[in-house]
Amino acid sequence: DMSRGREDSCMRTQNMVLAAQSLGLGTCISGSIAMAFQGEKGAKLLGKLGVPEGYSPVVGITLGEAAEAPEAKPREKKYIIV
């Protein structure tokens, strides 16, 4: 069932990014990568990459050695009252 394919891809992407960061690698998620595969040029690129018919990229991950390691920003204190 591919009805949840986009959501599944996003969850897998998050897991891959967390795994990469745990290995000391830097990452950057790109949700706009799907635009590169639109139209005639996009179809040719999908063919060159060997993407099967009926499939399309949803998200991209840039992976490599991070140039810097900034400290995490402090969390905002938000409360939910139920």
Side-chain angles (χ1 to χ4, degrees), residues 51-77:
V51 177
E53 185 79 27
Y55 287 84
S56 61
V58 174
V59 66
I61 304 171
T62 304
L63 177 76
E65 293 185 25
E68 54 186 48
E71 293 292 321
K73 295 180 181 178
R75 292 179 182 239
E76 292 182 27
K77 293 185 178 182

Side-chain angles (χ1 to χ4, degrees), residues 33-54:
I33 195 165
M35 291 186 295
F37 298 99
Q38 294 177 349
E40 189 177 319
K41 288 183 180 180
K44 287 181 183 178
L45 182 56
L46 288 172
K48 286 182 182 180
L49 294 172
V51 177
E53 185 79 27

Side-chain angles (χ1 to χ4, degrees), residues 6-66:
R6 184 173 302 274
E7 292 86 353
D8 289 346
S9 295
C10 292
M11 288 185 283
R12 288 183 183 105
T13 299
Q14 179 183 12
N15 288 336
M16 287 187 278
V17 166
L18 290 171
Q21 289 178 338
S22 75
L23 297 171
L25 297 170
T27 60
C28 181
I29 298 172
S30 173
S32 62
I33 195 165
M35 291 186 295
F37 298 99
Q38 294 177 349
E40 189 177 319
K41 288 183 180 180
K44 287 181 183 178
L45 182 56
L46 288 172
K48 286 182 182 180
L49 294 172
V51 177
E53 185 79 27
Y55 287 84
S56 61
V58 174
V59 66
I61 304 171
T62 304
L63 177 76
E65 293 185 25

